[in-house]
Amino acid sequence: MPIPAALALVCALPVTAIATPAAVDFTRDVAPLLAARCFKCHGPDADSRKAGLRLDKRAGAVAVLESGDAAIVPGKPEESELIARVTSADADERMPPVDGHAALTADEVGVLRAWIASGAEYAKHWSWQPLPPVDSERARAVAGADAPGANVASPLRDVHLPGMVDDAAWLRRVTFDITGLPPTPAECAAFAAAMHAATDAPAADAARAAVVDALLASPRFGERWGRHWLDVVRYAETHGHEFDYPIDEAWRYRDWAIRALNADLPYADFVREQIAGDLLAAPRRNPEDGTSESQLATGWWWMSQGTHAPVDVRLDQAERVDNQIDVATKAFLGTTASCARCHDHKFDDVSQRDYYALFGVVKSSRRAYAYQDPGGVIGSAVKSLRAARRDDAHAKAVVPPAPAGATWTFDRGTLEGWTASGWAFGEEPAGSADSGALAMKLQGTLRSPTFTVPAGPIRVRCRGTGAKLRLVIDGYWLNDRNDLLFEGFIRDVDHRDEWRTQAFDARRYTGELAHLEAIDDGDGFIAIDWVALGDVAEADCAPAPVTAPAPAATDAPKPGATPDIPAPRRVLAMEDGTGMDSPLYARGVPANARDMVPRGMIAGLRTVNVAPTSTDTPTNATPAGSGRLALAEEIVSPNNPLTWRVAANRVWHHMMGRGIVASTDDFGVLGQAPTDVATLDWLAMRLRAHGSIKRLVREIALSPVYRSSARPMRRLDGEALRDAIIATADSLDLAMGGPSVSVHLTDAMQGRGRPGKSGPLDGARRRSVYLEVRRNFLPPFLQVFDQPVPTTTVGTRSVSNVPAQALAMMNDPFVRGQAERWGRITFADVKRPVDERVRGMFGRAYARPAGADEVNAALAFLGDAPNPSAEAWSDLAHAIFLSTEFRYLR
């Protein structure tokens, strides 16, 4: 009897057939073979290609060579030079070369023969092949598959499996999977009553549906699934490396992810906001304070590791952008595009030009601490100020004429291609770009177009107080923590009554790309008269006092008090810089720049008709945009198969414990083969049709596949285990959001960057998602239970079973402390009989009634005292925490 496909998924058994001559699949059998055995000399790398033969493309493989033969003659393996060479007994003729290379095995030769005999067709990998086209009827059917009474075929429902878990095990499993917490005793009792009252299968299904709907509506859902997503984007709050410098305001992105998932943000918008939320014409607003959620979503781009004082700043930028590309393509596309940094991808359809097309998009974007206006108070004040603008002496200060040779002046009523964030700089400078022209309390940052660092000084004529000027080289920002090798690139401006010329000596970075920032983050101001990248007369650089004409009668301030202006909220975000294509770096080395590559999407996944991006040269001062918004639209296109397959597979993985594609971050040739493509595509089409992660979770949770007893036991991950310990001890604080709880430091956690003080041992009893994530000081308890190091995308955590885990459960002060707390609470409950308290502990820990043998064993453990001591109850609590059943889901 054949195994049903759904059961194969449950058991996580591979269902693909072993390749035979009659069933050779190019992407599964042939492409990896050619890549491993042939591409080193006959692959995509033109510099290392031998004899003019290229085997990674069909046109090259079937082309007639100078010898008059063709490597592959479709349909005729015996006439194909490839077969002749790989089977030759002549050491001078055999391929791969005898020297240092093993000959192909008989099975490998058989695969090639069968493939050539069948026509030698090249094909896209299965994951790159399109989903069935979007069709309105199909979309309605897929979108309504989980509706009550829906009569729609579903591979999750239309399957009969031998054996289902009992109701208590299902409740515990589904509650942990959706919320990351155990069910409460009240929830267990209510579900047991509902199932007892159910007289038929539809009533039982309704009872389970009610549970799932309540779990999906709980704010705990976003906390659980938000933690899953933080693994994918390598969320961290410090940069690691030697000093582990902080990433200020990182926690706001974490809270964005939790809110977005709780709100069931359509998946296309979930992706779109993270790629280019700052560029959306109509950003999504926080319903409570009106701030831009979309802008906040871009903060993940900057959560990479970061070194201080890089000797090669262009290489440092290349490493940073490589990590950003690596995370973005794995997270949203399940594609290891970073493999193409140095050469065309050896296995997947990602060329080196594709990589640098993405590189240009990211390099044209800038790290920023954007300004937000909770409640719109600042915006209202600005509107009032502009309506009744004061023509005071500050606004009317005489600006000296710009010298010959100035690159930018601000005497034509525009910002001259500079970009402003915040409210301080306005839109129409009058002689100078002045952050105090409207009101001193307004804050903002003004950024120049990208330029090439000249051989001479970079001069900025300015005045101000309580503000800063900053020169940013190749996007490097950690000099605000440590200015080694970047001394003098951040300048305090504190000369309000005198125009001075600030000269940046950046000659050691001549030829690098840079931009300037004028930063007003307080109650002061900065006014910039002109900027020169070339020579100007020394006389024009001399200090000059600020003068103002006597106010005329029409200059009198208008009546009315200046509005009260609060400080804005600062959030880590991405903003657009000058749109610039990237050169292709030969062998991935930034010093080996070759021809320019138009920025954009991976060519093989391009689905949206977008106007070609500009190819501005580095000296072009006109910002053309990064291309991130176009990239976002390409990624979420209904015609992009990877986005929807990858997302649907992630949901399946978190619900079932293993993805249909087990390598959740790699859908390429080197990834693991899917166990059931048809089911994966069903899920992907369904998600594409309605965009709801919650609906996909719901259908899986209510399916026979999910309820099957054939699934192996699964250990709780570190965060769920920690949260379960606190919840079971009846001490979990369910407060949401806000700054992270400082990491608790042990004596063994030493090194540079160590925080000055330790956080509480119990993490203030908050959920684990709210614990600080410091790269160099990660919580040991979570680490021993396989919390990943936040370096790159980790969609599938390791699941180990090592002695350190048992030792942690026995000896960790946190575990012992929670056991003592639970013991004291149980000891104090003197109104309940001892055996009833024991049953209550088992029910709370395991979400099921205690067996008679378990109760008797626990009573014997507690001793004969009428009211066992708090220490005895604590020891019992600790023993329960140590049990396998507590740590595993059935």
Side-chain angles (χ1 to χ4, degrees):
M1 179 177 179
I3 297 175
L7 182 57
L9 291 175
V10 171
C11 301
L13 298 174
V15 297
T16 51
I18 298 175
T20 65
V24 172
D25 179 270
F26 174 79
T27 62
R28 184 191 64 215
D29 308 314
V30 181
L33 175 58
L34 293 176
R37 304 296 235 135
C38 307
F39 284 1
K40 182 177 181 180
C41 300
H42 305 293
D45 192 342
D47 292 338
S48 62
R49 195 177 300 143
K50 304 292 178 60
L53 173 60
R54 182 173 186 178
L55 290 174
D56 63 310
K57 300 291 184 182
R58 191 174 193 272
V62 301
V64 176
L65 304 173
E66 291 183 1
S67 64
D69 299 316
I72 293 175
V73 180
K76 300 178 180 180
E78 299 309 321
E79 296 182 18
S80 299
E81 186 67 12
L82 175 64
I83 298 298
R85 289 300 189 99
V86 299
T87 59
S88 176
D90 187 336
D92 294 330
E93 294 287 327
R94 199 205 79 187
M95 291 292 160
V98 172
D99 185 18
H101 300 275
L104 267 64
T105 66
D107 287 345
E108 289 173 330
V109 173
V111 166
L112 292 179
R113 286 184 188 276
W115 171 59
I116 295 173
S118 67
E121 292 297 331
Y122 282 63
K124 284 187 175 182
H125 188 253
W126 71 266
S127 64
W128 288 57
Q129 293 179 21
L131 288 167
V134 177
D135 174 89
S136 59
E137 183 177 348
R138 180 192 299 274
R140 284 195 299 271
V142 172
D146 62 346
N151 185 24
V152 179
S154 165
L156 306 187
R157 287 195 308 218
D158 302 336
V159 63
H160 300 285
L161 298 174
M164 300 290 174
V165 294
D166 59 69
D167 294 334
W170 177 87
L171 178 65
R172 188 169 187 262
R173 177 191 290 179
V174 78
T175 305
F176 266 110
D177 283 343
I178 295 180
T179 70
L181 293 173
T184 66
E187 290 168 339
C188 292
F191 180 61
M195 294 303 288
H196 180 74
T199 57
D200 54 22
D205 289 343
R208 281 187 285 266
V211 168
V212 171
D213 289 341
L215 294 173
L216 291 172
S218 167
R220 313 284 81 85
F221 170 80
E223 292 171 332
R224 174 60 171 169
W225 287 71
R227 181 59 258 182
H228 292 327
W229 186 252
L230 297 183
D231 283 0
V232 171
V233 296
R234 48 85 171 99
Y235 171 81
E237 296 174 67
T238 61
H239 286 297
H241 286 283
E242 187 173 3
F243 291 99
D244 207 25
Y245 290 119
I247 304 173
D248 294 335
E249 310 297 333
W251 61 269
R252 295 189 186 278
Y253 172 83
R254 175 206 66 204
D255 285 0
W256 169 86
I258 292 171
R259 288 194 300 270
L261 288 162
N262 273 333
D264 203 18
L265 182 66
Y267 188 71
D269 291 333
F270 184 75
V271 175
R272 190 181 284 114
E273 287 190 4
Q274 293 184 81
I275 299 294
D278 58 305
L279 301 175
L280 299 179
R284 185 171 59 94
R285 297 290 173 182
N286 185 303
E288 294 184 2
D289 61 22
T291 55
S292 173
E293 291 280 77
S294 303
Q295 181 185 52
L296 183 56
T298 61
W300 70 274
W301 283 103
W302 308 110
M303 292 177 184
S304 59
Q305 298 185 76
T307 59
H308 80 283
V311 175
D312 187 337
V313 68
R314 193 189 303 181
L315 176 60
D316 182 80
Q317 180 189 51
E319 297 288 351
R320 181 173 63 253
V321 173
D322 181 70
N323 177 259
Q324 292 170 311
I325 292 173
D326 185 45
V327 173
T329 53
K330 286 179 179 176
F332 302 115
L333 300 171
T335 298
T336 56
S338 282
C339 293
R341 175 179 175 178
C342 304
H343 46 69
D344 288 354
H345 201 298
K346 296 298 186 184
F347 301 97
D348 299 332
D349 192 14
V350 182
S351 69
Q352 193 177 14
R353 291 184 66 82
D354 287 330
Y355 176 86
Y356 287 98
L358 295 170
F359 197 98
V361 172
V362 179
K363 194 173 76 169
S364 296
S365 305
R366 293 173 178 170
R367 179 178 181 268
Y369 275 94
Y371 304 83
Q372 292 197 333
D373 179 16
V377 178
I378 301 173
S380 296
V382 169
K383 187 175 180 180
S384 298
L385 287 167
R386 285 177 178 166
R389 182 164 182 161
R390 296 174 179 273
D391 292 325
D392 57 16
H394 178 89
K396 280 292 187 179
V398 173
V399 178
T407 306
W408 291 289
T409 64
F410 300 94
D411 53 6
R412 290 185 287 271
T414 73
L415 290 175
E416 302 243 341
W418 292 51
T419 55
S421 56
W423 302 266
F425 286 94
E427 299 172 353
E428 298 179 355
S432 66
D434 188 345
S435 69
L438 199 57
M440 292 289 196
K441 284 184 172 293
L442 291 176
Q443 297 184 22
T445 298
L446 186 66
R447 296 180 176 87
S448 77
T450 299
F451 57 85
T452 301
V453 176
I458 299 166
R459 295 184 172 90
V460 182
R461 184 75 157 184
C462 62
R463 70 185 187 96
T465 183
K468 295 181 184 293
L469 270 177
R470 182 174 189 175
L471 176 63
V472 181
I473 308 290
D474 286 332
Y476 183 75
W477 70 78
L478 272 175
N479 60 319
D480 62 2
R481 305 290 183 182
N482 187 327
D483 67 353
L484 184 62
L485 300 185
F486 297 87
E487 298 90 344
F489 286 5
I490 300 176
R491 305 279 181 85
D492 290 327
V493 177
D494 196 13
H495 43 92
R496 64 178 300 154
D497 297 323
E498 185 176 59
W499 292 101
R500 297 181 187 173
T501 302
Q502 300 278 355
F504 292 91
D505 182 0
R507 285 174 293 177
R508 63 180 175 275
Y509 296 112
T510 298
E512 300 300 325
L513 299 180
H515 70 273
L516 287 160
E517 295 180 345
I519 305 167
D520 177 1
D521 282 345
D523 294 344
F525 78 98
I526 180 171
I528 299 178
D529 173 14
W530 51 262
V531 177
L533 302 179
D535 293 333
V536 294
E538 288 299 323
D540 292 319
C541 300
V546 174
T547 59
T554 55
D555 292 333
K558 294 180 172 62
T562 300
D564 185 26
I565 302 174
R569 175 188 297 165
R570 303 297 304 281
V571 300
L572 181 62
M574 179 175 267
E575 293 185 356
D576 252 18
T578 304
M580 302 176 67
D581 296 330
S582 173
L584 185 147
Y585 295 156
R587 300 292 182 185
V589 179
N592 297 337
R594 298 292 190 262
D595 59 307
M596 304 297 288
V597 180
R599 57 194 180 278
M601 181 59 160
I602 295 169
L605 294 172
R606 194 165 293 150
T607 60
V608 179
N609 292 323
V610 180
T613 55
S614 69
T615 55
D616 298 327
T617 60
T619 56
N620 192 326
T622 304
S626 65
R628 270 186 299 119
L629 186 56
L631 177 63
E633 296 302 333
E634 292 273 13
I635 290 175
V636 302
S637 165
N639 297 321
N640 185 336
L642 277 174
T643 299
W644 306 104
R645 284 184 174 123
V646 168
N649 188 66
R650 292 194 190 283
V651 175
W652 183 272
H653 164 75
H654 291 307
M655 292 298 292
M656 301 296 293
R658 177 187 170 107
I660 296 173
V661 176
S663 52
T664 55
D665 309 321
D666 186 359
F667 271 49
V669 172
L670 294 183
Q672 293 181 254
T675 53
D676 188 337
V677 174
T679 297
L680 177 58
D681 282 359
W682 160 264
L683 296 169
M685 288 188 294
R686 183 169 180 276
L687 181 61
R688 182 179 64 178
H690 58 61
S692 171
I693 294 294
K694 285 189 176 183
R695 290 178 67 173
L696 207 58
V697 168
R698 184 181 192 274
E699 184 167 3
I700 294 171
L702 295 175
S703 69
V705 175
Y706 183 82
R707 289 166 50 208
S708 170
S709 60
R711 291 175 56 186
M713 292 178 66
R714 176 158 52 96
R715 199 203 74 210
L716 297 175
D717 59 53
E719 289 89 342
L721 179 59
R722 178 187 171 276
D723 293 354
I725 290 171
I726 302 174
T728 304
D730 200 24
S731 63
L732 187 63
D733 182 352
L734 292 176
M736 297 184 68
S740 297
V741 179
S742 297
V743 65
H744 175 71
L745 299 172
T746 68
D747 292 340
M749 298 166 71
Q750 300 292 335
R752 285 180 171 176
R754 191 177 195 265
K757 63 178 182 178
S758 175
L761 172 64
D762 62 1
R765 303 195 307 278
R766 299 282 302 281
R767 290 203 69 176
S768 301
V769 71
Y770 299 118
L771 299 183
E772 187 177 34
V773 183
R774 301 186 70 91
R775 277 194 163 96
N776 289 2
F777 300 92
L778 295 167
F781 181 82
L782 298 182
Q783 286 284 284
V784 79
F785 284 100
D786 303 312
Q787 182 191 49
V789 175
T791 302
T792 186
T793 295
V794 180
T796 301
R797 289 189 176 190
S798 298
V799 181
S800 63
N801 184 12
V802 295
Q805 293 167 353
L807 292 171
M809 293 298 292
M810 286 191 290
N811 301 317
D812 192 289
F814 157 73
V815 179
R816 298 185 67 88
Q818 291 303 307
E820 290 170 3
R821 178 184 176 87
W822 192 15
R824 290 194 302 270
I825 292 173
T826 309
F827 168 74
D829 192 12
V830 294
K831 293 184 179 180
R832 297 173 67 201
V834 173
D835 62 338
E836 189 175 326
R837 279 182 270 175
V838 167
R839 290 187 178 89
M841 292 182 76
F842 275 79
R844 179 177 286 276
Y846 304 138
R848 61 164 177 81
D853 291 346
E854 291 173 319
V855 174
N856 291 333
L859 292 174
F861 180 85
L862 290 168
D864 297 330
N867 185 23
S869 67
E871 291 76 11
W873 286 110
S874 296
D875 287 344
L876 177 59
H878 196 190
I880 291 173
F881 287 158
L882 288 169
S883 66
T884 298
E885 186 174 353
F886 186 81
R887 290 179 286 119
Y888 281 79
L889 297 177
R890 289 191 291 146

